[in-house]
């Protein structure tokens, strides 16, 4: 085969890896300066000059990571700016080691651990304990509210009232104006010792148990003509009860009751309602009552010992109460 025009290159230079072999190096092979993958290509071909390798192959050990072992390769290779068609973006790529420093390695983003040891992930136990604590507080609050409401309801029931959740209308709201409803007037009560006495009736303190001032009561009532008269003020007209506290020697007694000058058709009974068999007067204090018709204002109430009455009795006090 006839030898062609090899131009300025030698045959061993056509082998991109010729400089790696000892025979190629002995023949003076040099690493090609053309472009390789990711590097600019060789200069445009010239007529009559064979092409050189399109791959830029480097000598083993030339490419370094971090520091440079060979001072002649300390400066990174900067490829020339390639011309791209109009309107297209310019792409530039260089091997990471050409920019200096160790190559960057893509990997998943670092994970941040919160509250746990190395490599254990989030502290789920702490979160769980916190959640349980919050739930426990809520449950305790609800239970306390239910118990409180139940206690209020029980109190209302014991007091005879009812609990209403209906909103209060403006007309039902409390008013500072005085109520037009009159409160029931207090009915009169009088110690017998402060009444007008007649006949042989007299004050005494010998028998214990009387509720009058200093234990005073009316005695000496066992004679015909003896009496006590009470001027009672009544707020309204109506039917009432006249209640009398007395003591007897375990024997039934009675007396005549006169209201506003009109004697009752039946005497007031002063009987042995406690069924005592002891004649000791101190042990036989008790009460009785009789119906009376009273007018509004002053009323004269008289208890007297008349003919036919059994009047061996001590009188303590008189009181007017509502008729049942």
């Amino acid at each position: 085969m006839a030898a062609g025009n090899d131009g300025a290159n030698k045959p061993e230079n056509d082998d991109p890896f010729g400089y790696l072999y000892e025979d190629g190096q002995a023949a003076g092979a040099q690493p090609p300066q053309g472009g390789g993958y990711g590097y600019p290509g060789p200069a445009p071909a010239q007529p009559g000059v064979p092409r050189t390798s399109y791959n830029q192959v480097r000598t083993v050990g030339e490419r370094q990571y971090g520091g440079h072992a060979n001072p002649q390769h300390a400066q990174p290779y900067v490829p020339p700016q390639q011309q791209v068609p109009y309107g297209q973006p310019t792409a530039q790529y260089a091997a990471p080691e050409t920019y200096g420093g160790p190559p960057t390695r893509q990997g998943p983003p670092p994970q941040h651990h919160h509250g746990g040891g190395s490599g254990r992930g989030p502290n789920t136990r702490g979160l769980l304990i916190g959640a349980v604590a919050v739930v426990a507080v809520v449950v305790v609050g609800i239970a306390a509210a239910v118990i409180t409401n139940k206690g209020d309801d029980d109190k209302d029931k014991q007091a005879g009232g009812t609990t209403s959740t209906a909103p209060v209308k403006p007309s039902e709201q409390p008013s500072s104006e005085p109520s037009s409803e009159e409160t029931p007037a207090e009915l009169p009560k009088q110690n017998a010792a402060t009444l007008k006495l007649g006949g042989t009736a007299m004050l005494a303190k010998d028998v214990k148990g009387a509720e009058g001032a200093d234990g005073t009561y009316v005695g000496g009532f066992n004679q015909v003509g003896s009496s006590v008269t009470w001027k009672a003020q009544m707020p309204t007209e109506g039917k009432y009860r006249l209640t009398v506290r007395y003591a007897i020697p375990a024997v039934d007694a009675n007396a005549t009751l006169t209201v506003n000058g009109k004697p009752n058709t039946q005497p007031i009974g002063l009987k042995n309602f406690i069924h005592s068999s002891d004649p000791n007067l101190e042990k036989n204090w008790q009460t009785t009552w009789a119906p009376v018709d009273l007018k509004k204002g002053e009323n004269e109430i008289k208890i007297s010992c008349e003919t036919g009455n059994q009047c061996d009795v001590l009188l303590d006090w008189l009181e007017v109460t509502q008729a049942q």
Side-chain angles (χ1 to χ4, degrees), residues 23 35 37 71 103 116 118 124 140 176 187 203 205 211 219 228 244 255 261 277 285 307:
D23 56 346
Y37 176 74
S118 59
T124 56
V140 171
S176 58
L187 298 178
L203 301 181
K205 297 181 180 180
E211 297 177 353
V228 291
V244 180
S277 58
W285 288 102
T307 303

Side-chain angles (χ1 to χ4, degrees), residues 179-248:
S179 174
S180 59
E181 298 181 359
E182 296 181 358
T183 57
E186 184 178 358
L187 298 178
K189 178 179 180 180
Q190 196 76 22
N191 291 329
T194 61
L195 302 180
K196 181 181 177 181
L197 306 181
T200 59
M202 65 182 72
L203 301 181
K205 297 181 180 180
D206 299 335
V207 179
K208 304 298 181 182
E211 297 177 353
D214 297 328
T216 305
Y217 57 87
V218 174
F221 201 75
N222 57 348
Q223 298 294 323
V224 175
S226 299
S227 65
V228 291
T229 302
W230 181 24
K231 297 295 179 83
Q233 292 289 335
M234 299 303 299
T236 57
E237 179 182 356
K239 294 183 179 296
Y240 296 91
R241 284 183 175 185
L242 176 65
T243 302
V244 180
R245 188 172 190 266
Y246 63 97
I248 55 176

